[in-house]
Amino acid sequence: MKLLLVEDELLARQRIDSIISKYSADWVISEYVQSVTEFKSALAHVQDFDLILCDIHLADGLSFRALQEVELFIPIVFITAYDQYALEAFDHNCIDYVLKPIQEDRLIKALDKASKFSGKVQKNSTPPEFFGELLRYYLPKTYKKRFLTKVGSKFVFVPVEKVAYFYSEEGITYLVESDSSMRYIVDHSLTELHQELLDPLKFYRINRSMIINLDGLIEIKPYQNGRLALLLNVKSEELVVVAREKVTEFKNWINQ
C-alpha cells in the first residue's frame, strides 16, 4: 500500500510514520506534503497512491480546498485535532476520522478499515457502515466526572479532577487522591478507564499498571533502559516509570 500523508506538524508526522511502520512492512508513506498548495500538486498524480492520510488545518488553509478540485477514487482517513469537520469529511471519500492526540490503537483501527478496500471507490461515496462511527466522533464525547468508592461503612465521591493516578495491584484497581494521598478501590479495570472513561487529554497510561493525571505531573527525568521516571504531586510507594515502548507516545501526549 502506498500512502500520501498530508501533515504540517513534524511530531504528528513522526508519530504517524512510526505507527505505520509497526502496523505493516508492506505499507509505506511514499510522499509527504505540508500545505494545500503541495497537496494540490500531489493530487495531480493521485493514481500513484492507495490511501490518503490527511490533516485538515494546514499552514495555508483547509485541506478540503485541494480536494474540491479533483475527482477522487481512493479513500481518505482524516487525522485532525478538530471534531467539527467530521460531517464535511463525508464529501471527500472519508472512511474514518481520527482525532488528535493520536492514539496508536485508534489509528491502527482506521488502517485496518483501509486495508479492506480493494480497487477504487467512487467519488463522495463514504461507506454507510462508517456513518455511525464518524458521527460518534463528531458529537461531543463525555467522560466520567466522579468515582464512587466505599470506605468502611460509608461511600465517598472523588471528583476526577482530584485523582492523581490509578494503579493496579493483584487484580485490584486503586485510585489515589491528589489532596490527601488516600487510596480507594474502584470497580473499573485500567483498560476500561483508559479506553472508555477518562479524558485522553488529561490521563495517560504510562505502563501496564498505572494511569496518571497530567495535572499532577511535576517533573520528568531520563531513567535506565530508555525509560522515563516521573515525579508526581503525591508520593507513590513504587517508582513512577514510563515504559520504554510508550516513551515516544508519552512525549507527544505531553506536547499536545
Side-chain angles (χ1 to χ4, degrees):
M1 290 277 285
K2 293 182 179 179
L3 282 63
L4 169 62
L5 176 56
V6 184
E7 176 60 70
D8 62 350
E9 298 176 14
L10 178 59
L11 286 176
R13 197 171 86 180
Q14 292 172 339
R15 173 97 175 112
I16 294 167
D17 204 355
S18 173
I19 293 172
I20 289 173
S21 297
K22 291 167 62 177
Y23 173 76
S24 175
D26 296 329
W27 288 52
V28 59
I29 298 175
S30 55
E31 188 170 344
Y32 298 96
V33 297
Q34 304 182 60
S35 66
V36 174
T37 301
E38 292 179 357
F39 191 17
K40 289 179 181 179
S41 297
L43 290 174
H45 54 96
V46 69
Q47 68 277 1
D48 295 341
F49 310 110
D50 301 298
L51 173 69
I52 299 174
L53 302 180
C54 189
D55 193 1
I56 293 178
H57 269 261
L58 302 175
D60 56 347
L62 300 182
S63 57
F64 293 143
R65 282 173 40 207
L67 293 167
Q68 289 168 354
E69 301 177 9
V70 296
E71 188 174 6
L72 201 60
F73 296 99
I74 63 172
I76 298 181
V77 173
F78 286 100
I79 304 173
T80 177
Y82 304 90
D83 59 9
Q84 65 263 37
Y85 299 106
L87 294 182
E88 188 174 354
F90 284 108
D91 294 332
H92 305 289
N93 287 20
C94 176
I95 63 166
D96 212 336
Y97 195 91
V98 178
L99 291 176
K100 296 178 180 179
I102 302 167
Q103 301 293 318
E104 181 171 332
D105 55 352
R106 182 68 188 87
L107 182 55
I108 287 177
K109 184 177 179 181
L111 297 175
D112 283 338
K113 289 180 184 178
S115 69
K116 295 173 184 176
F117 279 81
S118 59
K120 304 299 182 181
V121 297
Q122 294 184 354
K123 182 176 173 61
N124 300 338
S125 60
T126 298
E129 62 267 28
F130 298 140
F131 182 83
E133 185 167 352
L134 282 171
L135 193 57
R136 283 196 293 274
Y137 272 83
Y138 176 71
L139 295 174
K141 187 172 182 179
T142 58
Y143 299 99
K144 198 163 180 64
K145 295 180 175 61
R146 65 191 66 84
F147 289 87
L148 176 65
T149 186
K150 191 175 182 181
V151 179
S153 59
K154 299 185 299 183
F155 287 96
V156 175
F157 286 102
V158 181
V160 70
E161 295 83 4
K162 293 189 176 182
V163 176
Y165 61 91
F166 298 89
Y167 73 98
S168 177
E169 185 176 83
E170 297 182 354
I172 299 174
T173 304
Y174 296 93
L175 172 162
V176 176
E177 191 176 23
S178 56
D179 291 347
S180 64
S181 297
M182 289 285 293
R183 77 171 189 173
Y184 306 95
I185 295 175
V186 293
D187 294 327
H188 302 286
S189 68
L190 288 187
T191 298
E192 185 182 8
L193 290 168
H194 168 64
Q195 295 184 353
E196 301 176 21
L197 302 179
L198 298 174
D199 184 349
L201 295 176
K202 291 287 187 180
F203 290 88
Y204 186 84
R205 188 170 185 174
I206 60 171
N207 54 48
R208 291 187 353 187
S209 60
M210 182 176 286
I211 297 173
I212 68 165
N213 185 345
L214 175 60
D215 291 339
L217 179 60
I218 296 175
E219 189 175 69
I220 304 172
K221 291 182 177 180
Y223 192 59
Q224 57 189 352
N225 297 323
R227 295 176 292 172
L228 297 174
L230 308 181
L231 177 64
L232 305 179
N233 60 359
V234 297
K235 291 184 178 180
S236 169
E237 295 180 3
E238 301 283 337
L239 187 64
V240 180
V241 175
V242 181
R244 183 170 57 183
E245 65 273 14
K246 287 181 170 286
V247 166
T248 299
E249 183 179 86
F250 176 73
K251 289 179 179 177
N252 288 333
W253 177 72
I254 290 292
N255 198 43
Q256 63 193 314

